[in-house]
Amino acid sequence: MQIVSCPSCGAEVRFKSHAAVMAVCEFCRATLLKDAESVKNLGTMSSVLEDYSPIQIGTCGMLGGRNFTVVGRIQLRYTQGMWNEWYVLYGDGGNGWLGDSSGQFTMSAERKVQETLPAFEKLRIAQPVHINGERFLPAEIRSAKCIAGQGELPFRVGEGWRIRVADLRNGEAFVTLDYTDGEVPVVYSGVAVTLDEMRCQLLRDDDQVKAGAGRFRGKVDALDCPSCGSAIKYLPGITTTLICPACKAQLDASGPQASVLAAGAKMATMNTTIELGATANIRGSEHTVIGAMVRATSGTGAEKWTEYLLFSARGGFFWLIESNAGWFQAKVMHRWPLWDPAAGDTARAENQDYEKSDSYLTTVVAAAGAFNWRVSVGDRVFVTEYENTSGTLAAETTREEMTWSRSTRLAFDQIKTWFNVGPKTVKGIPESEPAPKMAGTLQKFFWWLLGLNFIPLIFNFGETALTLIVAMVFICGMAVSGEDKQ
């Protein structure tokens, strides 16, 4: 470990990694470049946006039998959102990167490759690339810039530093091709992981996440829309994009002041079953509905459905989907299914085969609230679905990104329990009401019963027969009255 004094403020700055060449002073934000004899002040680095991530400088864990500690971070932003790259130092002296994007995590380190890899401009989503004899599919192709840094870093970066990267996947295997320094990419390979699998310790807890996520903006959880002045409730630090529920303006919420990205587009009215801001205890963690959007298909047999984005400081993001077919819960998969785009008829996940069931183009027709990527009315995504008896896999593809999610059916009783919402109308019939024409069924039953008992009374007509007839007429009258009220 090397300890130096910050040339700007005099505070102690520690270099834990011998590979680190740069550090950001945690007190004055000065960017310090380390050489053989001293450190140089390169200027001030912007403060990181304290977001929803539970990871922080000092978080430690174990992966593949190797202990690691997080010692630095860079924050990167691209057109549709932002993500963190955490610089980690292993106990054996090695180093690597812990990718952190919308609750999805990857661990990777630089590797040498045998093949000549395609140029950045030649890469296409889901078109195979072979690396060291293994086939990978491009999942994300991004041009991004650094917006902030923190702690120790192995190379010199600064605000506005631009990168070109592509993330590739094959099951749990993960590769990043970094074209920042030229047409021959630096290759980082590793695996998709979860916090539990890394046995992470010294994570921020729920309260720290909520408090820290507001620190950059003064701990606010509501702001006035700069376009129309309406109050918007949101979780600061959770996302970079907001859509005003009142005027539908698209807002950038990544800085101290929210700014208008685009005026509100004309969109369909959103009548949602669950309100924005609703909370529920789901699997032991409090989740909040932070965004909702309506998506639709076009052409013959067009369908429309609502998707609710839920967030929990510990549980991350997941979706609730409300459609004519019922309710479903869906979550992005951090391990990709085994899937061949050339064949495309089957996908295999968790030792189960899923058969292709549908494919369609979907468009966002309405949206409101906060999202972990930039959402706009008119956004289009091509969806391919694969089903078996346990659930559905869905591959969503755009020109820049491909994601896989897994969904399972939910009973509406579960939704009512979570969010205390009222009766749900399915195919025009509220679940809380009896099936229609029940009164007509009762009438038929009583007339049949009357006829059955009336036969012997024809030959023995008296007071008993008269009483029975009057009672039957009264009951049938009540049934008819009830049917008319429906």
Side-chain angles (χ1 to χ4, degrees), residues 9 55 95 236 320 389 452 454 484:
C9 71
I55 300 172
N95 59 75
L320 288 179
T389 55
L452 186 65
F454 191 71
D484 291 339

Side-chain angles (χ1 to χ4, degrees), residues 48-60 73 75 84 86 100 150 195 200-216 236-238 311 313-314:
V48 293
L49 171 64
E50 290 294 353
D51 56 14
Y52 53 81
S53 177
I55 300 172
Q56 61 184 336
I57 301 294
T59 291
C60 58
R73 159 163 68 159
Q75 228 167 27
N84 296 305
W86 300 91
D100 173 8
Q150 182 183 20
L195 296 179
C200 285
Q201 301 179 37
L202 301 180
L203 296 168
R204 295 194 296 166
D205 60 28
D206 292 9
D207 291 337
Q208 288 175 311
V209 169
K210 292 177 181 178
R215 189 178 68 200
F216 189 62
I238 299 300
F311 172 77
R314 184 59 58 227

Side-chain angles (χ1 to χ4, degrees), residues 104-106 134-137 139 168-175 190-193 333-340 348-350 404:
Q104 302 290 306
F105 302 98
T106 58
E134 188 174 357
R135 190 195 69 166
F136 288 85
L137 299 176
L168 291 72
R169 293 181 179 264
N170 178 14
E172 68 174 11
F174 174 85
V175 168
V191 293
V193 289
M333 303 172 69
H334 70 283
R335 289 186 176 89
W336 271 30
L338 299 178
W339 172 72
D340 183 356
R348 185 171 180 81
E350 300 173 351
W404 283 86

